[in-house]
């Protein structure tokens, strides 16, 4: 632990330095490959596996079962509706969840009794519900609207707080990177996209934005009036700021990932709580991806956007002249 602390102190004081800005092309390529891979894998799998709240349909929950066999549920549903393709999953240690396309009231009752008979439980142990296609479409629309509003407001906030559109552009690029990769992993792995997962997406964007703001705040501090310096450049000061906040970013991510991982394990394995699992899974993936994007994308991209300004273009020549004069 002391070695890691010493390493952090060396980064903060400048005794050691990791080159982030100078190697930004490598990090851009890695990020681009991850984005393309996420999109391609999700596309090859057939897109997203939207939950019943989005696509609409009928849902049945069987509680108190002795045997957690998914095949029993499939056979029970197909005995009533031969053309159905039910989605079956377990809930905790003694529950089964079955989702189908929307059925009529009569068919729903027949499926409910069929499931009760197949699992050897009372009919009252099988709960049924349905969500109409219109309601599902409305949920989808509200989710996309919420996402768009979040991104717009976050971009405005960044631009106003840092008083530069370039910081906002770099931060939004990192946010979109996080969103695309997280969503792509959901599609590639066939994970169910539910309203809880959408809440998780919005939460990780906020988390990533918070981490980016902390790093950018240090960049703003380090680059204040750097154009008048004869000993350092804008890019060097940006890189120094990332090094100074690196350990803090890693520690914050670890502190965030550990409890989220615990919630994911408990919610998915022991409790079978779908909402906990969906939120925690999105958070778990997003926190890790968000940390990467802040360090390797947002900060280097901001440096690149500012280096082209006239007041910073003169710096490399000034530094070179200063070094020649000092040697003479």
């Amino acid at each position: 632990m002391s070695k890691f602390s010493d390493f952090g102190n060396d980064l903060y004081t400048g005794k050691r330095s990791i080159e982030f800005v100078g190697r930004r092309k490598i990090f851009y390529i890695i990020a681009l490959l991850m984005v393309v891979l996420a999109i391609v894998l999700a596309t090859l799998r057939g897109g997203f596996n939207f939950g019943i709240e989005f696509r609409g349909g009928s849902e049945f929950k069987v509680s108190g079962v002795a045997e957690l066999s998914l095949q029993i549920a499939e056979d029970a549903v197909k005995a009533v509706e031969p053309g159905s393709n039910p989605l079956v999953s377990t809930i905790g240690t003694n529950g089964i969840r079955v989702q189908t396309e929307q059925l009529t009231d009569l068919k729903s009752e027949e499926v409910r009794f069929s499931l009760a008979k197949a699992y050897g439980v009372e009919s009252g142990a099988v709960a049924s519900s349905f969500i109409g296609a219109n309601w599902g479409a409305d949920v989808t629309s509200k989710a996309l609207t919420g996402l768009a509003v979040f991104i717009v407001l976050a971009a405005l906030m960044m631009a106003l707080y840092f008083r530069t559109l370039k910081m906002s552009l770099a931060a939004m690029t990192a946010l979109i990177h996080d969103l695309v990769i997280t969503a792509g992993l959901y599609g590639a792995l066939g994970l169910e996209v539910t309203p809880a997962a959408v809440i998780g997406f919005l939460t990780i964007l906020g988390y990533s934005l918070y981490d980016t703001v902390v790093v950018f705040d240090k960049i703003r501090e380090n680059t204040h009036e750097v154009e008048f310096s004869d000993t350092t450049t804008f890019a060097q000061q940006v890189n120094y700021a990332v090094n100074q906040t690196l350990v803090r970013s890693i520690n914050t991510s670890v502190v965030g990932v550990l409890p989220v991982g615990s919630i994911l394990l408990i919610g998915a394995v022991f409790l079978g709580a779908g909402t906990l699992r969906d939120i925690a899974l999105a958070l778990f993936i997003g926190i890790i991806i968000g940390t990467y994007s802040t360090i390797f994308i947002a900060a280097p991209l901001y440096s690149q956007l500012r280096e082209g300004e006239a007041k910073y273009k003169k710096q490399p020549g000034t530094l070179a002249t200063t070094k020649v004069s000092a040697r003479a």
Side-chain angles (χ1 to χ4, degrees), residues 18-311:
I18 301 174
E19 188 58 61
F20 295 105
V21 174
R23 298 173 181 168
R24 60 191 172 210
K25 290 184 179 179
I26 297 175
F27 303 136
Y28 291 167
I29 292 172
I30 293 173
L32 181 61
L33 288 175
M34 288 195 296
V35 168
V36 171
L37 185 62
I39 294 174
V40 170
L41 290 178
T43 303
L44 291 177
R45 193 177 176 88
F48 295 107
N49 176 25
F50 288 104
I52 193 172
E53 296 87 353
F54 291 104
R55 67 178 187 272
S58 298
E59 182 176 75
F60 305 88
K61 293 182 179 179
V62 188
S63 57
V65 301
E67 184 180 355
L68 291 176
S69 172
L70 306 184
Q71 189 61 45
I72 292 177
E74 291 184 16
D75 293 341
V77 173
K78 289 182 178 180
V80 177
E81 194 73 10
S84 179
N85 187 26
L87 299 176
V88 187
S89 58
T90 59
I91 304 175
T93 57
N94 64 347
I96 294 290
R97 183 180 67 172
V98 182
Q99 294 180 343
T100 68
E101 65 279 2
Q102 188 171 342
L103 304 174
T104 63
D105 292 342
L106 179 60
K107 287 291 184 180
S108 292
E109 279 299 294
E110 291 180 6
V111 169
R112 195 168 72 84
F113 282 109
S114 179
L115 287 169
K117 181 179 179 181
Y119 282 104
V121 297
E122 297 292 331
S123 60
V126 183
S128 63
S129 61
F130 74 91
I131 296 176
N134 291 335
W135 193 87
D138 187 53
V139 170
T140 303
S141 175
K142 293 292 177 60
L144 293 175
T145 300
L147 181 61
V149 169
F150 176 90
I151 292 176
V152 171
L153 290 178
L156 289 175
M157 186 276 291
M158 292 287 289
L160 291 173
Y161 180 74
F162 290 108
R163 301 176 184 175
T164 170
L165 289 174
K166 292 182 179 180
M167 270 193 174
S168 179
L169 177 60
M172 290 309 103
T173 301
L175 283 181
I176 293 173
H177 163 273
D178 300 343
L179 180 63
V180 171
I181 291 181
T182 304
L185 284 175
Y186 261 72
L189 298 176
L191 302 173
E192 190 175 33
V193 180
T194 65
V198 174
I199 293 173
F201 292 156
L202 295 176
T203 304
I204 62 173
L205 294 182
Y207 183 94
S208 177
L209 184 64
Y210 166 74
D211 199 32
T212 303
V213 167
V214 172
V215 176
F216 277 8
D217 210 37
K218 192 64 179 177
I219 290 174
R220 181 172 61 175
E221 177 186 331
N222 286 9
T223 57
H224 179 61
E225 296 186 346
V226 71
E227 64 269 25
F228 303 114
S229 174
D230 292 334
T231 59
T232 187
T233 65
F234 183 86
Q236 289 170 347
Q237 286 303 105
V238 170
N239 195 75
Y240 182 36
V242 177
N243 277 272
Q244 286 182 306
T245 55
L246 179 62
V247 172
R248 177 217 164 270
S249 295
I250 294 174
N251 287 340
T252 302
S253 299
V254 171
V255 170
V257 164
L258 289 178
V260 169
S262 300
I263 294 173
L264 179 60
L265 179 64
I266 294 171
V269 179
F270 297 107
L271 297 181
T275 302
L276 277 179
R277 179 200 61 207
D278 295 340
I279 293 178
L281 183 58
L283 287 174
F284 188 84
I285 297 172
I287 288 174
I288 297 173
I289 299 298
T291 302
Y292 174 86
S293 68
T294 297
I295 297 170
F296 297 98
I297 297 177
L301 179 58
Y302 172 64
S303 178
Q304 184 175 8
L305 291 173
R306 294 297 302 273
E307 288 170 27
E309 296 178 12
K311 61 182 178 180

